[in-house]
Amino acid sequence: MMLLPVFLTVLLATAPAPAEPWQVHAAECQRRKAAGEHAEAGDACRRAFEAVPEGPASFDQRSLLAFSAVRLYKKAHKASNDVAPLCSAATLLRTFEAQLATLPPDDRPGDRAGVADALREIEPRIAGMCTEGSADDLVAVGRPDGKPKTEPAASPAQAPAVVVVQPARPAKTSTTDRPAIRSGERRLLRIAGWTTLGVGLALGGGMLAMLVKGAAMDVQVDSLNATYPAGTMISHAEAQRFHDLTRQGERANDLALGLGVPALALFISGVTLLGIDAHQRRTDRRFAVHPGLAGLRLTMEF
């Protein structure tokens, strides 16, 4: 019987400490992320952020969880085109911004810049689309009350008379009245087509380079996440490295999108100009007869 208290003391001393609430939410965030549930993973990371206790490394852990949640919310918005995840991300960023405001002005400049950049990117995309009470509860776009916009039907007396105007038909012109495109004009059209196509291909190459860079940054961020399992504390240097890699990857993806749109437009324009030039060269051929020493010479103009 004397050994029983000693045994219980040793057993309690060696028993693992129960996980704290923020660690439970962080583990759920990783599970949801692995399952591809980005919005739910972002919510779990946000709950873990809110549950981090005060301590020497609390801001390091909050920084990692906050920017992880924002990154997951952006992926959820990209996959579903739903604005609700962006509203949740903006609310989380404002909360973290308010917490950073309690620190000295020169403390954690990287986190302050990251929050400002993320809000500058997100806020214009959700202007007037989130309710003030909850970031996850949305109303209709352009209608703060969330009610469908209805207008009373006009009475027959108030209904304006509808006048149908038939558009004037253009006079038909014969193909013989159409002036032929001169060779100099066709040459300019061909030059413009090849130039536009070349610029479009160059921008497309830049877009591919940015996509490769963004993918490389994502791989490094995922590798850093795997290095620190859910629920473990992370140093300030590693948290800053995670934040820098995330920002570089997002900027590369944004730049790829910015290059891809004009690249596609220029590529289509260049192909169209070259197609018009080829069509004109096929359909606008004229034959002319010129006198020669040995009789008549038949030439073809291109």
Side-chain angles (χ1 to χ4, degrees):
M1 296 297 294
M2 295 295 295
L3 295 177
L4 182 58
V6 178
F7 175 74
L8 291 177
T9 302
V10 174
L11 182 62
L12 292 175
T14 57
E20 296 184 6
W22 75 270
Q23 294 175 330
V24 176
H25 294 311
E28 181 187 359
C29 176
Q30 294 298 324
R31 289 195 302 271
R32 296 276 192 175
K33 177 182 177 182
E37 302 172 353
H38 296 129
E40 293 79 3
D43 291 338
C45 273
R46 175 175 52 83
R47 291 190 294 268
F49 165 85
E50 296 169 350
V52 170
E54 294 294 337
S58 59
F59 272 94
D60 290 337
Q61 202 63 32
R62 286 171 186 169
S63 174
L64 176 63
L65 292 169
F67 288 110
S68 295
V70 170
R71 188 163 175 263
L72 290 166
Y73 282 138
K74 287 182 179 180
K75 288 186 177 180
H77 168 70
K78 185 177 181 181
S80 63
N81 203 27
D82 185 8
V83 77
L86 293 184
C87 294
S88 299
T91 301
L92 176 57
L93 288 168
R94 295 190 195 104
T95 302
F96 191 35
E97 184 180 40
Q99 294 178 357
L100 291 172
T102 62
L103 299 176
D106 57 346
D107 196 5
R108 307 190 72 84
D111 287 340
R112 296 175 191 267
V115 170
D117 290 344
L119 285 175
R120 263 195 307 270
E121 176 192 355
I122 293 175
E123 285 183 337
R125 301 162 67 182
I126 62 173
M129 302 176 69
C130 304
T131 59
E132 296 181 359
S134 172
D136 300 324
D137 188 15
L138 301 182
V139 298
V141 177
R143 297 193 295 276
D145 55 356
K147 297 179 181 179
K149 184 177 180 181
T150 58
E151 296 180 356
S155 61
Q158 297 175 348
V162 179
V163 180
V164 179
V165 179
Q166 295 291 341
R169 295 183 179 179
K172 294 183 179 180
T173 57
S174 62
T175 56
T176 57
D177 297 334
R178 183 179 58 190
I181 299 178
R182 291 174 296 183
S183 60
E185 295 175 353
R186 287 198 300 267
R187 189 177 300 109
L188 291 177
L189 184 66
R190 194 178 312 125
I191 293 174
W194 282 113
T195 303
T196 305
L197 183 62
V199 175
L201 291 176
L203 291 179
M207 177 197 69
L208 294 177
M210 289 300 101
L211 286 176
V212 171
K213 182 179 179 180
M217 294 298 102
D218 289 340
V219 170
Q220 294 186 45
V221 170
D222 293 337
S223 175
L224 189 59
N225 281 331
T227 304
Y228 295 93
T232 59
M233 303 298 291
I234 184 171
S235 64
H236 174 67
E238 290 298 308
Q240 187 64 38
R241 178 168 171 251
F242 171 86
H243 173 60
D244 293 340
L245 290 174
T246 302
R247 290 178 59 191
Q248 291 176 14
E250 291 176 351
R251 288 177 179 175
N253 291 332
D254 293 341
L255 186 57
L257 179 61
L259 291 174
V261 173
L264 180 60
L266 290 173
F267 179 82
I268 294 175
S269 300
V271 172
T272 303
L273 290 174
L274 292 176
I276 294 174
D277 174 67
H279 176 72
Q280 290 293 344
R281 282 189 291 167
R282 286 196 304 268
T283 59
D284 194 34
R285 293 173 179 173
R286 294 178 299 163
F287 291 91
V289 178
H290 299 277
L293 296 177
L296 295 178
R297 182 180 61 190
L298 182 66
T299 62
M300 179 183 298
E301 287 187 5
F302 289 90

PDB file of all heavy atoms in Angstrom, residues 3 106 159 166 189 213 295:
ATOM      1  N   LEU A   3       3.446   1.681  -1.717  1.00  0.00           N
ATOM      2  CA  LEU A   3       3.943   1.924  -3.066  1.00  0.00           C
ATOM      3  C   LEU A   3       2.904   2.572  -3.977  1.00  0.00           C
ATOM      4  O   LEU A   3       3.233   3.090  -5.048  1.00  0.00           O
ATOM      5  CB  LEU A   3       4.414   0.605  -3.698  1.00  0.00           C
ATOM      6  CG  LEU A   3       5.611  -0.074  -3.032  1.00  0.00           C
ATOM      7  CD1 LEU A   3       5.903  -1.390  -3.721  1.00  0.00           C
ATOM      8  CD2 LEU A   3       6.829   0.839  -3.112  1.00  0.00           C
ATOM      9  N   ASP A 106       7.950  50.152 -34.087  1.00  0.00           N
ATOM     10  CA  ASP A 106       9.010  49.524 -34.873  1.00  0.00           C
ATOM     11  C   ASP A 106       9.073  48.016 -34.671  1.00  0.00           C
ATOM     12  O   ASP A 106      10.021  47.380 -35.136  1.00  0.00           O
ATOM     13  CB  ASP A 106      10.364  50.155 -34.532  1.00  0.00           C
ATOM     14  CG  ASP A 106      10.676  50.055 -33.043  1.00  0.00           C
ATOM     15  OD1 ASP A 106       9.747  49.759 -32.263  1.00  0.00           O
ATOM     16  OD2 ASP A 106      11.842  50.283 -32.660  1.00  0.00           O
ATOM     17  N   ALA A 159     -47.558  53.625 -69.122  1.00  0.00           N
ATOM     18  CA  ALA A 159     -46.612  52.909 -69.969  1.00  0.00           C
ATOM     19  C   ALA A 159     -46.297  53.742 -71.200  1.00  0.00           C
ATOM     20  O   ALA A 159     -47.204  54.201 -71.902  1.00  0.00           O
ATOM     21  CB  ALA A 159     -47.200  51.559 -70.401  1.00  0.00           C
ATOM     22  N   GLN A 166     -37.202  50.633 -87.848  1.00  0.00           N
ATOM     23  CA  GLN A 166     -36.474  49.668 -88.650  1.00  0.00           C
ATOM     24  C   GLN A 166     -35.148  50.275 -89.080  1.00  0.00           C
ATOM     25  O   GLN A 166     -35.118  51.385 -89.610  1.00  0.00           O
ATOM     26  CB  GLN A 166     -37.288  49.270 -89.896  1.00  0.00           C
ATOM     27  CG  GLN A 166     -38.562  48.534 -89.581  1.00  0.00           C
ATOM     28  CD  GLN A 166     -38.296  47.143 -89.038  1.00  0.00           C
ATOM     29  OE1 GLN A 166     -37.189  46.617 -89.225  1.00  0.00           O
ATOM     30  NE2 GLN A 166     -39.276  46.563 -88.362  1.00  0.00           N
ATOM     31  N   LEU A 189       0.083  45.816 -92.804  1.00  0.00           N
ATOM     32  CA  LEU A 189      -0.797  44.902 -92.073  1.00  0.00           C
ATOM     33  C   LEU A 189      -0.045  43.654 -91.623  1.00  0.00           C
ATOM     34  O   LEU A 189      -0.207  43.179 -90.490  1.00  0.00           O
ATOM     35  CB  LEU A 189      -1.989  44.523 -92.954  1.00  0.00           C
ATOM     36  CG  LEU A 189      -3.060  43.641 -92.319  1.00  0.00           C
ATOM     37  CD1 LEU A 189      -3.757  44.384 -91.197  1.00  0.00           C
ATOM     38  CD2 LEU A 189      -4.091  43.209 -93.364  1.00  0.00           C
ATOM     39  N   LYS A 213       7.572  30.293 -60.980  1.00  0.00           N
ATOM     40  CA  LYS A 213       8.077  30.861 -59.724  1.00  0.00           C
ATOM     41  C   LYS A 213       7.050  30.741 -58.615  1.00  0.00           C
ATOM     42  O   LYS A 213       7.385  30.399 -57.480  1.00  0.00           O
ATOM     43  CB  LYS A 213       8.443  32.335 -59.948  1.00  0.00           C
ATOM     44  CG  LYS A 213       9.013  32.996 -58.704  1.00  0.00           C
ATOM     45  CD  LYS A 213       9.386  34.444 -58.963  1.00  0.00           C
ATOM     46  CE  LYS A 213       9.932  35.095 -57.692  1.00  0.00           C
ATOM     47  NZ  LYS A 213      10.303  36.525 -57.928  1.00  0.00           N
ATOM     48  N   GLY A 295       5.500  39.739-127.664  1.00  0.00           N
ATOM     49  CA  GLY A 295       4.056  39.638-127.738  1.00  0.00           C
ATOM     50  C   GLY A 295       3.442  40.210-126.472  1.00  0.00           C
ATOM     51  O   GLY A 295       3.723  41.342-126.098  1.00  0.00           O
TER      52      GLY A 295
END
